[in-house]
Every structure is written in structure tokens, then in C-alpha cells.
């Protein structure tokens, strides 16, 4: 909440020796545009105490910061070990993005379930709410929490419900990495990701050439169609087994054809690879 300050208010310091409550921190943060003198009068604190507290609220490593932006009960959460024992709720992640002045909200987005399209969609964090009834004007806060699957910073997933990943506060599979480190190291992460994708692309090209050599063009086309059909629908273990058997039959048919034709390519696979195919087939 924003507290309006009257110029006639006297500078009082009734709370100078009192602990800072969550409500105090909220008032201080929401009115941070005011001068330290006005904030001190508003909160009944000393001016230097207000300045010191404001520094803590902008320090991502402080307990004051975690309590304000992470919704943590600091009295019951004293160690990093306790913090990481459960996944931070997505509402706290969204709240952090909303109120943390060091985080550019325009760089974040959410991945959520769309009931109309029956699929996962990505929506910018700052998108307006034009589809969900109610007074909430921002889509991410109007959307029911259980429909949010992940949160992204640019191209990187920083919170994922299914993977139990939290790289905003560092809980669970975030393994202590927090959003300030993600932002700081994003360019390095992006470069490594692109290099890995390029290596995978080149490897896929190499594998595809090998498959054409082993199976032939027609069987590779059949294999692609089989794989696409499997990915387009829900499948059970029996369908997967059937898929594997059909793939192996493509291989053995190609192998037999080459043997019948007296092709040297029939021996292209070494004995270890052939043994592997035999084991899977059986």
C-alpha cells in the first residue's frame, strides 16, 4: 500500500527501537520515492535507520529482502537448507518479479495451460488481462496458479512446476542459484546453449546420413512417419514396444536386402552394434 504523507506531520520516532515488521517493510518499499525524512516520519523511525533498512530491502542476499519478496517467515526460516527443501510457490515468484526493482518485468513470461486451446501457451509477464473475469488487470495474476507450468527469463526457464526447478529463489532443483545470478550470467548461458544446439544439429545431420546408408531413403521416410505418429498422440508401453519392433524390422529388412544384393554395406555395423540390435529385438 502507498501511504500519503501530510506536510504538517511531526517527525516522531516512537518505533526507533522496535523490530521491523513485514508491514513496515511493505510501506517503506511502496513509498521508496519519498525522501528519507518523510519515510522516517511516516514509520516513526530515525532517518538513518530508514536508509539502512532500504539498503537491506534492495540486497537480494538479506533476510529482509527474502521476507518481503519471497513471502518467507524469517522466524521459521533461518538457513539456506530450509529454504531449499520445498519448491517456492509460483505466486511468490510472480510477486518477486512484480516488486523487485532490479528485475525487468518485460524480460519475463509465463508458460500456462490454455483450457480453450487445450495446450500450453506462453504469455508475457506484463500482458493485460482481457480474457479472465474479475477486477485483476494483469493476466499473470488473474490466471489461477495451478494453470501456470513455468516461468521464463528471456529464453531460460527459471521456475518449472513439473521439474521442481526454482532458479528465482534457488529452492529445490534450482540448487541455490538465484535470479540475480541468472540475470548476471545470462549471456554466458545463452552462448553455451547455442553452441550445444549447434553440436546437436551437426550430430543429427551425421546420424541422418548414417541412417540413409543403413536403411535407405524409403525406410528412413517410413521411420520418420512412424515417429511423428507416435509423438502426435498419447501412447502406452505396448505402443512403444510395437514401435521399437517395427523400427528393428526396418533395419533387418534393409540388412537382408543388402545381403541378397551382395552389398558390402551389409557389414557396415560392427559386431557390438549387431549384438545390441539382437538383444533389443529378442
Amino acid at each position: 500500500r502507498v501511504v500519503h504523507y501530510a506536510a504538517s506531520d511531526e517527525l516522531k520516532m516512537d518505533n526507533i527501537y522496535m523490530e521491523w515488521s513485514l508491514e513496515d517493510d511493505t510501506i517503506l518499499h511502496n513509498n521508496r520515492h519519498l525522501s528519507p525524512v518523510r519515510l522516517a516520519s511516516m514509520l516513526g523511525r530515525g532517518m538513518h535507520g530508514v536508509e539502512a533498512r532500504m539498503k537491506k530491502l534492495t540486497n537480494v542476499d538479506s533476510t529482509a529482502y527474502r521476507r518481503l519478496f519471497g513471502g518467507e517467515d524469517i522466524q521459521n526460516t533461518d538457513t539456506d537448507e530450509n529454504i531449499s527443501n520445498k519448491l517456492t510457490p509460483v505466486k511468490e515468484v510472480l510477486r518477486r518479479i512484480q516488486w523487485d526493482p532490479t528485475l525487468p518485468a518485460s524480460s519475463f513470461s509465463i508458460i500456462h495451460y490454455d483450457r480453450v486451446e487445450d495446450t500450453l501457451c506462453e504469455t508475457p509477464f506484463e500482458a493485460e488481462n482481457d480474457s479472465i473475469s474479475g477486477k485483476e488487470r494483469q493476466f499473470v495474476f488473474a490466471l489461477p496458479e495451478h494453470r501456470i507450468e513455468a516461468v521464463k527469463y528471456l529464453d531460460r526457464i527459471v521456475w518449472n512446476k513439473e521439474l521442481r526447478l526454482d532458479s528465482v529463489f534457488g529452492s529445490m532443483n534450482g540448487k541455490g542459484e538465484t535470479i540475480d545470478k541468472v540475470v548476471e550470467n545470462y549471456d554466458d548461458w545463452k552462448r553455451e546453449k547455442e553452441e550445444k544446439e549447434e553440436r546437436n544439429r551437426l550430430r543429427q545431420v551425421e546420424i541422418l546420413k548414417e541412417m540413409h546408408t543403413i536403411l535407405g531413403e524409403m525406410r528412413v521416410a517410413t521411420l520418420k512417419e512412424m515417429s511423428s505418429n507416435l509423438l502426435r498422440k498419447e501412447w502406452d508401453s505396448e505402443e512403444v514396444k510395437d514401435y521399437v519392433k517395427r523400427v528393428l524390422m526396418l533395419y533387418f529388412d534393409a540388412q537382408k536386402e543388402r545381403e541378397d544384393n551382395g552389398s558390402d554395406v551389409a557389414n557396415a555395423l560392427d559386431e557390438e552394434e549387431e549384438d545390441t540390435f539382437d538383444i533389443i529385438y529378442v
Side-chain angles (χ1 to χ4, degrees):
R1 61 172 176 160
V2 176
V3 177
H4 298 284
Y5 170 83
S8 60
D9 285 351
E10 296 181 3
L11 186 60
K12 300 178 181 180
M13 294 188 289
D14 298 338
N15 300 320
I16 189 170
Y17 296 116
M18 301 292 290
E19 292 184 357
W20 285 84
S21 67
L22 179 58
E23 182 178 8
D24 290 338
D25 286 344
T26 302
I27 293 173
L28 180 60
H29 181 267
N30 289 349
N31 294 276
R32 60 188 181 280
H33 59 283
L34 300 179
S35 70
V37 174
R38 290 190 175 186
L39 290 170
S41 176
M42 180 190 305
L43 294 163
R45 304 276 182 174
M47 186 176 66
H48 294 300
V50 166
E51 292 175 337
R53 190 64 178 180
M54 184 61 75
K55 289 182 179 179
K56 290 185 177 181
L57 293 180
T58 56
N59 178 6
V60 296
D61 295 323
S62 71
T63 55
Y65 182 95
R66 295 204 306 268
R67 182 177 69 171
L68 180 60
F69 296 108
E72 297 176 10
D73 182 355
I74 297 303
Q75 292 180 344
N76 296 326
T77 311
D78 297 323
T79 67
D80 291 338
E81 181 180 357
N82 288 333
I83 293 171
S84 63
N85 279 342
K86 64 179 181 178
L87 183 68
T88 302
V90 70
K91 67 178 180 181
E92 304 300 347
V93 172
L94 300 180
R95 182 184 177 194
R96 168 78 176 273
I97 297 169
Q98 180 185 30
W99 293 111
D100 190 336
T102 68
L103 299 179
S106 59
S107 297
F108 289 86
S109 60
I110 63 169
I111 297 175
H112 60 94
Y113 176 68
D114 188 311
R115 293 185 300 179
V116 176
E117 299 295 334
D118 191 26
T119 188
L120 291 178
C121 302
E122 182 173 352
T123 299
F125 181 85
E126 296 182 314
E128 294 184 359
N129 174 29
D130 58 4
S131 59
I132 300 176
S133 60
K135 297 181 180 180
E136 180 56 58
R137 300 178 63 181
Q138 195 167 343
F139 180 79
V140 294
F141 295 108
L143 186 71
E145 291 176 31
H146 68 271
R147 287 170 56 187
I148 300 177
E149 297 294 325
V151 179
K152 292 177 65 177
Y153 170 71
L154 298 178
D155 291 333
R156 181 172 179 179
I157 299 290
V158 294
W159 186 93
N160 186 293
K161 179 167 59 178
E162 183 177 356
L163 298 179
R164 313 300 289 171
L165 169 70
D166 170 25
S167 293
V168 177
F169 294 97
S171 67
M172 294 295 288
N173 290 330
K175 299 180 180 178
E177 183 179 27
T178 53
I179 190 62
D180 55 310
K181 296 299 182 183
V182 170
V183 173
E184 179 183 349
N185 300 322
Y186 180 79
D187 289 342
D188 292 337
W189 174 87
K190 179 71 170 177
R191 182 175 61 256
E192 291 176 3
K193 177 175 180 289
E194 291 174 347
E195 290 174 352
K196 182 178 180 180
E197 289 175 346
E198 178 62 13
R199 289 195 299 270
N200 288 339
R201 187 190 69 80
L202 294 175
R203 179 57 179 159
Q204 288 174 5
V205 170
E206 180 182 346
I207 292 174
L208 187 58
K209 289 181 180 178
E210 293 177 359
M211 289 175 62
H212 274 89
T213 300
I214 296 170
L215 298 180
E217 185 175 346
M218 293 297 295
R219 291 186 182 86
V220 169
T222 301
L223 177 60
K224 287 182 178 180
E225 183 179 359
M226 288 165 48
S227 300
S228 297
N229 290 337
L230 186 67
L231 292 174
R232 280 198 296 262
K233 64 178 183 179
E234 294 290 335
W235 43 264
D236 56 30
S237 59
E238 291 301 319
E239 288 177 307
V240 173
K241 290 179 181 178
D242 181 65
Y243 168 81
V244 173
K245 289 180 180 179
R246 293 173 65 190
V247 170
L248 291 172
M249 286 305 302
L250 288 175
Y251 164 72
F252 288 124
D253 285 345
Q255 187 79 344
K256 185 176 185 304
E257 181 180 285
R258 288 192 296 269
E259 290 173 351
D260 292 342
N261 294 334
S263 172
D264 292 337
V265 185
N267 300 317
L269 296 180
D270 59 31
E271 293 181 359
E272 182 179 348
E273 289 172 314
E274 289 185 339
D275 288 343
T276 301
F277 275 107
D278 289 338
I279 292 171
I280 296 174
Y281 181 71
V282 173

Short mmCIF file of all heavy atoms in Angstrom, two decimals, residues 229-279:
data_model
loop_
_atom_site.label_atom_id
_atom_site.label_comp_id
_atom_site.label_asym_id
_atom_site.label_seq_id
_atom_site.Cartn_x
_atom_site.Cartn_y
_atom_site.Cartn_z
N ASN A 229 3.86 -40.02 -35.92
CA ASN A 229 2.57 -40.54 -35.46
C ASN A 229 2.59 -40.85 -33.97
O ASN A 229 1.60 -40.61 -33.26
CB ASN A 229 2.20 -41.80 -36.24
CG ASN A 229 1.86 -41.51 -37.69
OD1 ASN A 229 1.49 -40.38 -38.03
ND2 ASN A 229 2.00 -42.51 -38.55
N LEU A 230 3.70 -41.36 -33.50
CA LEU A 230 3.81 -41.70 -32.08
C LEU A 230 3.81 -40.44 -31.22
O LEU A 230 3.20 -40.41 -30.14
CB LEU A 230 5.10 -42.49 -31.83
CG LEU A 230 5.28 -43.04 -30.40
CD1 LEU A 230 4.23 -44.11 -30.11
CD2 LEU A 230 6.68 -43.61 -30.22
N LEU A 231 4.45 -39.37 -31.70
CA LEU A 231 4.56 -38.14 -30.92
C LEU A 231 3.27 -37.33 -30.92
O LEU A 231 3.05 -36.50 -30.05
CB LEU A 231 5.70 -37.27 -31.46
CG LEU A 231 7.11 -37.82 -31.27
CD1 LEU A 231 8.12 -36.94 -31.98
CD2 LEU A 231 7.45 -37.93 -29.79
N ARG A 232 2.42 -37.57 -31.91
CA ARG A 232 1.20 -36.77 -32.03
C ARG A 232 0.06 -37.25 -31.14
O ARG A 232 -1.00 -36.63 -31.13
CB ARG A 232 0.73 -36.75 -33.49
CG ARG A 232 1.48 -35.77 -34.37
CD ARG A 232 0.70 -35.49 -35.64
NE ARG A 232 0.56 -36.68 -36.47
CZ ARG A 232 1.35 -36.95 -37.51
NH1 ARG A 232 2.32 -36.12 -37.82
NH2 ARG A 232 1.16 -38.03 -38.23
N LYS A 233 0.24 -38.33 -30.42
CA LYS A 233 -0.87 -38.86 -29.62
C LYS A 233 -0.37 -39.39 -28.29
O LYS A 233 0.83 -39.53 -28.05
CB LYS A 233 -1.57 -39.98 -30.39
CG LYS A 233 -0.67 -41.20 -30.63
CD LYS A 233 -1.42 -42.31 -31.35
CE LYS A 233 -0.54 -43.54 -31.52
NZ LYS A 233 -1.25 -44.65 -32.19
N GLU A 234 -1.32 -39.67 -27.42
CA GLU A 234 -0.98 -40.32 -26.14
C GLU A 234 -0.65 -41.78 -26.43
O GLU A 234 -1.32 -42.43 -27.23
CB GLU A 234 -2.18 -40.25 -25.19
CG GLU A 234 -2.55 -38.84 -24.74
CD GLU A 234 -1.52 -38.24 -23.82
OE1 GLU A 234 -0.80 -39.02 -23.15
OE2 GLU A 234 -1.42 -37.01 -23.76
N TRP A 235 0.41 -42.29 -25.81
CA TRP A 235 0.81 -43.66 -26.06
C TRP A 235 1.05 -44.39 -24.76
O TRP A 235 1.33 -43.81 -23.72
CB TRP A 235 2.06 -43.71 -26.93
CG TRP A 235 3.13 -42.72 -26.56
CD1 TRP A 235 3.35 -41.50 -27.11
CD2 TRP A 235 4.11 -42.88 -25.52
NE1 TRP A 235 4.41 -40.88 -26.50
CE2 TRP A 235 4.90 -41.70 -25.52
CE3 TRP A 235 4.41 -43.88 -24.60
CZ2 TRP A 235 5.96 -41.50 -24.64
CZ3 TRP A 235 5.46 -43.69 -23.72
CH2 TRP A 235 6.22 -42.52 -23.74
N ASP A 236 0.91 -45.74 -24.84
CA ASP A 236 1.17 -46.58 -23.69
C ASP A 236 2.39 -47.45 -23.99
O ASP A 236 2.98 -47.39 -25.07
CB ASP A 236 -0.05 -47.42 -23.31
CG ASP A 236 -0.54 -48.28 -24.47
OD1 ASP A 236 0.31 -48.67 -25.32
OD2 ASP A 236 -1.74 -48.55 -24.55
N SER A 237 2.78 -48.26 -23.01
CA SER A 237 4.01 -49.06 -23.15
C SER A 237 3.91 -50.06 -24.29
O SER A 237 4.91 -50.34 -24.96
CB SER A 237 4.29 -49.80 -21.84
OG SER A 237 3.21 -50.65 -21.49
N GLU A 238 2.72 -50.61 -24.55
CA GLU A 238 2.57 -51.58 -25.63
C GLU A 238 2.81 -50.93 -26.99
O GLU A 238 3.41 -51.53 -27.89
CB GLU A 238 1.18 -52.21 -25.59
CG GLU A 238 0.96 -53.14 -24.39
CD GLU A 238 1.97 -54.29 -24.38
OE1 GLU A 238 2.25 -54.85 -25.48
OE2 GLU A 238 2.49 -54.62 -23.30
N GLU A 239 2.32 -49.70 -27.15
CA GLU A 239 2.53 -48.99 -28.42
C GLU A 239 4.00 -48.67 -28.63
O GLU A 239 4.50 -48.70 -29.76
CB GLU A 239 1.69 -47.71 -28.44
CG GLU A 239 0.20 -47.95 -28.58
CD GLU A 239 -0.59 -46.65 -28.53
OE1 GLU A 239 -0.41 -45.89 -27.57
OE2 GLU A 239 -1.38 -46.41 -29.46
N VAL A 240 4.70 -48.36 -27.55
CA VAL A 240 6.14 -48.09 -27.65
C VAL A 240 6.88 -49.36 -28.06
O VAL A 240 7.78 -49.33 -28.92
CB VAL A 240 6.70 -47.54 -26.33
CG1 VAL A 240 8.22 -47.41 -26.40
CG2 VAL A 240 6.08 -46.18 -26.02
N LYS A 241 6.52 -50.49 -27.44
CA LYS A 241 7.14 -51.77 -27.80
C LYS A 241 6.91 -52.09 -29.27
O LYS A 241 7.82 -52.55 -29.97
CB LYS A 241 6.59 -52.89 -26.91
CG LYS A 241 7.03 -52.81 -25.46
CD LYS A 241 6.42 -53.95 -24.65
CE LYS A 241 6.82 -53.87 -23.19
NZ LYS A 241 6.18 -54.95 -22.39
N ASP A 242 5.68 -51.85 -29.73
CA ASP A 242 5.36 -52.11 -31.12
C ASP A 242 6.19 -51.21 -32.05
O ASP A 242 6.67 -51.65 -33.10
CB ASP A 242 3.87 -51.87 -31.36
CG ASP A 242 3.47 -52.15 -32.80
OD1 ASP A 242 3.57 -53.31 -33.23
OD2 ASP A 242 3.07 -51.20 -33.49
N TYR A 243 6.37 -49.96 -31.63
CA TYR A 243 7.17 -49.01 -32.42
C TYR A 243 8.61 -49.51 -32.53
O TYR A 243 9.20 -49.52 -33.62
CB TYR A 243 7.12 -47.64 -31.75
CG TYR A 243 8.13 -46.65 -32.28
CD1 TYR A 243 7.89 -45.94 -33.46
CD2 TYR A 243 9.33 -46.42 -31.62
CE1 TYR A 243 8.81 -45.04 -33.96
CE2 TYR A 243 10.27 -45.52 -32.11
CZ TYR A 243 10.00 -44.83 -33.28
OH TYR A 243 10.92 -43.94 -33.76
N VAL A 244 9.18 -49.95 -31.40
CA VAL A 244 10.57 -50.45 -31.41
C VAL A 244 10.71 -51.66 -32.31
O VAL A 244 11.67 -51.79 -33.09
CB VAL A 244 11.02 -50.78 -29.97
CG1 VAL A 244 12.39 -51.46 -29.98
CG2 VAL A 244 11.08 -49.51 -29.12
N LYS A 245 9.75 -52.57 -32.23
CA LYS A 245 9.80 -53.78 -33.08
C LYS A 245 9.76 -53.42 -34.56
O LYS A 245 10.50 -53.98 -35.38
CB LYS A 245 8.64 -54.71 -32.74
CG LYS A 245 8.77 -55.40 -31.39
CD LYS A 245 7.57 -56.30 -31.13
CE LYS A 245 7.71 -57.00 -29.78
NZ LYS A 245 6.53 -57.85 -29.50
N ARG A 246 8.92 -52.45 -34.92
CA ARG A 246 8.79 -52.05 -36.31
C ARG A 246 10.07 -51.37 -36.80
O ARG A 246 10.48 -51.55 -37.96
CB ARG A 246 7.59 -51.13 -36.49
CG ARG A 246 6.25 -51.83 -36.25
CD ARG A 246 5.10 -50.84 -36.27
NE ARG A 246 4.95 -50.24 -37.59
CZ ARG A 246 4.15 -49.20 -37.83
NH1 ARG A 246 3.45 -48.66 -36.84
NH2 ARG A 246 4.06 -48.71 -39.05
N VAL A 247 10.70 -50.59 -35.91
CA VAL A 247 11.98 -49.95 -36.27
C VAL A 247 13.03 -51.01 -36.54
O VAL A 247 13.78 -50.94 -37.53
CB VAL A 247 12.45 -49.00 -35.15
CG1 VAL A 247 13.88 -48.52 -35.41
CG2 VAL A 247 11.52 -47.80 -35.03
N LEU A 248 13.09 -52.01 -35.67
CA LEU A 248 14.08 -53.08 -35.84
C LEU A 248 13.81 -53.89 -37.10
O LEU A 248 14.75 -54.34 -37.78
CB LEU A 248 14.09 -53.98 -34.61
CG LEU A 248 14.65 -53.34 -33.34
CD1 LEU A 248 14.45 -54.24 -32.14
CD2 LEU A 248 16.14 -53.02 -33.52
N MET A 249 12.52 -54.07 -37.42
CA MET A 249 12.19 -54.81 -38.64
C MET A 249 12.66 -54.04 -39.88
O MET A 249 13.12 -54.65 -40.86
CB MET A 249 10.67 -55.04 -38.72
CG MET A 249 10.16 -56.10 -37.76
SD MET A 249 11.00 -57.70 -37.97
CE MET A 249 10.66 -58.05 -39.69
N LEU A 250 12.58 -52.70 -39.82
CA LEU A 250 13.10 -51.90 -40.92
C LEU A 250 14.59 -52.16 -41.11
O LEU A 250 15.08 -52.30 -42.23
CB LEU A 250 12.85 -50.40 -40.67
CG LEU A 250 11.41 -49.89 -40.78
CD1 LEU A 250 11.35 -48.42 -40.38
CD2 LEU A 250 10.88 -50.06 -42.20
N TYR A 251 15.29 -52.22 -39.98
CA TYR A 251 16.74 -52.46 -40.05
C TYR A 251 17.04 -53.85 -40.62
O TYR A 251 17.88 -54.00 -41.52
CB TYR A 251 17.35 -52.31 -38.67
CG TYR A 251 18.73 -52.92 -38.57
CD1 TYR A 251 19.81 -52.32 -39.20
CD2 TYR A 251 18.92 -54.12 -37.89
CE1 TYR A 251 21.07 -52.91 -39.15
CE2 TYR A 251 20.18 -54.70 -37.83
CZ TYR A 251 21.25 -54.09 -38.45
OH TYR A 251 22.49 -54.66 -38.41
N PHE A 252 16.37 -54.86 -40.08
CA PHE A 252 16.65 -56.22 -40.53
C PHE A 252 16.25 -56.44 -41.99
O PHE A 252 16.93 -57.17 -42.72
CB PHE A 252 15.96 -57.24 -39.62
CG PHE A 252 16.58 -57.35 -38.26
CD1 PHE A 252 15.82 -57.15 -37.12
CD2 PHE A 252 17.93 -57.63 -38.12
CE1 PHE A 252 16.39 -57.24 -35.86
CE2 PHE A 252 18.51 -57.72 -36.87
CZ PHE A 252 17.75 -57.52 -35.73
N ASP A 253 15.17 -55.77 -42.43
CA ASP A 253 14.78 -55.85 -43.84
C ASP A 253 15.86 -55.24 -44.73
O ASP A 253 16.21 -55.79 -45.78
CB ASP A 253 13.46 -55.12 -44.07
CG ASP A 253 12.27 -55.91 -43.54
OD1 ASP A 253 12.45 -57.12 -43.26
OD2 ASP A 253 11.18 -55.32 -43.41
N ALA A 254 16.39 -54.09 -44.29
CA ALA A 254 17.44 -53.45 -45.07
C ALA A 254 18.71 -54.30 -45.09
O ALA A 254 19.37 -54.42 -46.13
CB ALA A 254 17.75 -52.07 -44.47
N GLN A 255 19.01 -54.91 -43.94
CA GLN A 255 20.20 -55.76 -43.85
C GLN A 255 20.06 -56.97 -44.78
O GLN A 255 21.00 -57.34 -45.49
CB GLN A 255 20.37 -56.22 -42.40
CG GLN A 255 21.65 -56.98 -42.12
CD GLN A 255 22.85 -56.06 -41.97
OE1 GLN A 255 22.79 -54.91 -42.37
NE2 GLN A 255 23.92 -56.58 -41.41
N LYS A 256 18.89 -57.57 -44.80
CA LYS A 256 18.65 -58.74 -45.65
C LYS A 256 18.73 -58.36 -47.13
O LYS A 256 19.28 -59.11 -47.95
CB LYS A 256 17.29 -59.35 -45.33
CG LYS A 256 17.00 -60.66 -46.09
CD LYS A 256 15.68 -61.24 -45.65
CE LYS A 256 15.47 -62.60 -46.31
NZ LYS A 256 15.54 -62.54 -47.78
N GLU A 257 18.17 -57.20 -47.45
CA GLU A 257 18.20 -56.74 -48.83
C GLU A 257 19.62 -56.55 -49.32
O GLU A 257 19.97 -56.93 -50.45
CB GLU A 257 17.42 -55.43 -48.96
CG GLU A 257 17.35 -54.88 -50.37
CD GLU A 257 16.56 -53.59 -50.43
OE1 GLU A 257 15.32 -53.65 -50.35
OE2 GLU A 257 17.19 -52.52 -50.53
N ARG A 258 20.47 -55.96 -48.47
CA ARG A 258 21.86 -55.74 -48.86
C ARG A 258 22.61 -57.07 -49.01
O ARG A 258 23.43 -57.24 -49.90
CB ARG A 258 22.56 -54.84 -47.83
CG ARG A 258 22.11 -53.39 -47.89
CD ARG A 258 23.03 -52.51 -47.07
NE ARG A 258 22.99 -52.85 -45.66
CZ ARG A 258 22.15 -52.29 -44.78
NH1 ARG A 258 21.27 -51.40 -45.20
NH2 ARG A 258 22.17 -52.65 -43.52
N GLU A 259 22.30 -58.02 -48.11
CA GLU A 259 22.94 -59.34 -48.20
C GLU A 259 22.54 -60.06 -49.48
O GLU A 259 23.36 -60.69 -50.15
CB GLU A 259 22.58 -60.18 -46.98
CG GLU A 259 23.21 -59.68 -45.69
CD GLU A 259 22.70 -60.43 -44.48
OE1 GLU A 259 21.73 -61.23 -44.65
OE2 GLU A 259 23.23 -60.22 -43.37
N ASP A 260 21.25 -59.95 -49.83
CA ASP A 260 20.76 -60.58 -51.06
C ASP A 260 21.40 -59.99 -52.29
O ASP A 260 21.63 -60.67 -53.30
CB ASP A 260 19.24 -60.47 -51.16
CG ASP A 260 18.52 -61.29 -50.09
OD1 ASP A 260 19.17 -62.19 -49.53
OD2 ASP A 260 17.34 -61.02 -49.83
N ASN A 261 21.69 -58.66 -52.18
CA ASN A 261 22.30 -57.98 -53.32
C ASN A 261 23.82 -58.06 -53.30
O ASN A 261 24.49 -57.51 -54.19
CB ASN A 261 21.88 -56.50 -53.33
CG ASN A 261 20.39 -56.34 -53.59
OD1 ASN A 261 19.77 -57.20 -54.21
ND2 ASN A 261 19.83 -55.24 -53.12
N GLY A 262 24.37 -58.68 -52.24
CA GLY A 262 25.81 -58.81 -52.14
C GLY A 262 26.51 -57.50 -51.86
O GLY A 262 27.67 -57.32 -52.24
N SER A 263 25.83 -56.56 -51.17
CA SER A 263 26.41 -55.24 -50.90
C SER A 263 27.39 -55.32 -49.74
O SER A 263 27.16 -56.01 -48.75
CB SER A 263 25.30 -54.24 -50.56
OG SER A 263 25.86 -53.02 -50.12
N ASP A 264 28.51 -54.58 -49.86
CA ASP A 264 29.49 -54.54 -48.78
C ASP A 264 28.97 -53.76 -47.59
O ASP A 264 29.49 -53.87 -46.48
CB ASP A 264 30.78 -53.86 -49.28
CG ASP A 264 31.50 -54.72 -50.31
OD1 ASP A 264 31.26 -55.94 -50.29
OD2 ASP A 264 32.27 -54.16 -51.10
N VAL A 265 27.92 -52.94 -47.80
CA VAL A 265 27.37 -52.14 -46.70
C VAL A 265 26.71 -53.02 -45.66
O VAL A 265 26.46 -52.61 -44.55
CB VAL A 265 26.36 -51.10 -47.25
CG1 VAL A 265 25.87 -50.18 -46.15
CG2 VAL A 265 27.00 -50.28 -48.37
N ALA A 266 26.44 -54.28 -46.03
CA ALA A 266 25.81 -55.19 -45.09
C ALA A 266 26.63 -55.37 -43.83
O ALA A 266 26.12 -55.69 -42.76
CB ALA A 266 25.58 -56.55 -45.74
N ASN A 267 27.94 -55.17 -43.95
CA ASN A 267 28.82 -55.33 -42.79
C ASN A 267 29.23 -53.99 -42.19
O ASN A 267 30.24 -53.87 -41.53
CB ASN A 267 30.08 -56.10 -43.20
CG ASN A 267 29.74 -57.48 -43.72
OD1 ASN A 267 28.90 -58.16 -43.13
ND2 ASN A 267 30.38 -57.88 -44.81
N ALA A 268 28.42 -52.95 -42.48
CA ALA A 268 28.77 -51.60 -42.03
C ALA A 268 28.76 -51.48 -40.52
O ALA A 268 29.53 -50.73 -39.92
CB ALA A 268 27.82 -50.57 -42.64
N LEU A 269 27.86 -52.21 -39.86
CA LEU A 269 27.80 -52.16 -38.41
C LEU A 269 28.77 -53.19 -37.84
O LEU A 269 28.88 -54.30 -38.35
CB LEU A 269 26.39 -52.48 -37.90
CG LEU A 269 25.29 -51.48 -38.30
CD1 LEU A 269 23.97 -51.93 -37.72
CD2 LEU A 269 25.63 -50.09 -37.85
N ASP A 270 29.45 -52.83 -36.77
CA ASP A 270 30.37 -53.79 -36.17
C ASP A 270 29.59 -54.81 -35.34
O ASP A 270 28.38 -54.70 -35.15
CB ASP A 270 31.44 -53.09 -35.32
CG ASP A 270 30.84 -52.26 -34.19
OD1 ASP A 270 29.76 -52.63 -33.68
OD2 ASP A 270 31.44 -51.24 -33.83
N GLU A 271 30.30 -55.83 -34.86
CA GLU A 271 29.63 -56.93 -34.16
C GLU A 271 28.93 -56.45 -32.90
O GLU A 271 27.84 -56.93 -32.56
CB GLU A 271 30.67 -58.00 -33.81
CG GLU A 271 31.25 -58.71 -35.03
CD GLU A 271 32.25 -59.78 -34.63
OE1 GLU A 271 32.48 -59.92 -33.40
OE2 GLU A 271 32.79 -60.46 -35.52
N GLU A 272 29.51 -55.49 -32.21
CA GLU A 272 28.89 -55.00 -30.97
C GLU A 272 27.54 -54.36 -31.24
O GLU A 272 26.56 -54.59 -30.52
CB GLU A 272 29.82 -53.98 -30.31
CG GLU A 272 29.28 -53.46 -28.98
CD GLU A 272 30.25 -52.47 -28.33
OE1 GLU A 272 31.40 -52.37 -28.80
OE2 GLU A 272 29.83 -51.81 -27.37
N GLU A 273 27.42 -53.57 -32.32
CA GLU A 273 26.15 -52.93 -32.66
C GLU A 273 25.12 -53.97 -33.05
O GLU A 273 23.94 -53.88 -32.70
CB GLU A 273 26.38 -51.92 -33.78
CG GLU A 273 27.16 -50.69 -33.31
CD GLU A 273 27.54 -49.78 -34.46
OE1 GLU A 273 28.02 -50.32 -35.49
OE2 GLU A 273 27.37 -48.58 -34.34
N GLU A 274 25.55 -55.00 -33.81
CA GLU A 274 24.62 -56.04 -34.22
C GLU A 274 24.11 -56.82 -33.01
O GLU A 274 22.93 -57.16 -32.94
CB GLU A 274 25.31 -56.99 -35.20
CG GLU A 274 25.54 -56.35 -36.57
CD GLU A 274 26.11 -57.35 -37.57
OE1 GLU A 274 26.69 -58.36 -37.13
OE2 GLU A 274 25.96 -57.11 -38.78
N ASP A 275 25.00 -57.09 -32.04
CA ASP A 275 24.58 -57.79 -30.82
C ASP A 275 23.54 -56.96 -30.08
O ASP A 275 22.57 -57.49 -29.53
CB ASP A 275 25.79 -58.04 -29.92
CG ASP A 275 26.71 -59.12 -30.49
OD1 ASP A 275 26.23 -59.86 -31.37
OD2 ASP A 275 27.87 -59.20 -30.05
N THR A 276 23.73 -55.63 -30.06
CA THR A 276 22.78 -54.76 -29.38
C THR A 276 21.41 -54.85 -30.01
O THR A 276 20.39 -54.97 -29.34
CB THR A 276 23.27 -53.30 -29.41
OG1 THR A 276 24.55 -53.23 -28.78
CG2 THR A 276 22.30 -52.38 -28.68
N PHE A 277 21.34 -54.80 -31.35
CA PHE A 277 20.07 -54.93 -32.06
C PHE A 277 19.42 -56.27 -31.75
O PHE A 277 18.21 -56.36 -31.51
CB PHE A 277 20.28 -54.78 -33.57
CG PHE A 277 20.28 -53.38 -34.03
CD1 PHE A 277 21.47 -52.74 -34.41
CD2 PHE A 277 19.10 -52.65 -34.12
CE1 PHE A 277 21.45 -51.42 -34.86
CE2 PHE A 277 19.09 -51.33 -34.55
CZ PHE A 277 20.27 -50.72 -34.92
N ASP A 278 20.22 -57.34 -31.73
CA ASP A 278 19.68 -58.67 -31.45
C ASP A 278 19.07 -58.74 -30.06
O ASP A 278 18.00 -59.32 -29.85
CB ASP A 278 20.78 -59.73 -31.60
CG ASP A 278 21.17 -59.94 -33.05
OD1 ASP A 278 20.34 -59.60 -33.93
OD2 ASP A 278 22.29 -60.42 -33.30
N ILE A 279 19.74 -58.15 -29.07
CA ILE A 279 19.25 -58.18 -27.69
C ILE A 279 17.93 -57.46 -27.58
O ILE A 279 16.97 -57.93 -26.98
CB ILE A 279 20.29 -57.58 -26.73
CG1 ILE A 279 21.53 -58.49 -26.65
CG2 ILE A 279 19.69 -57.39 -25.35
CD1 ILE A 279 22.68 -57.86 -25.88
#
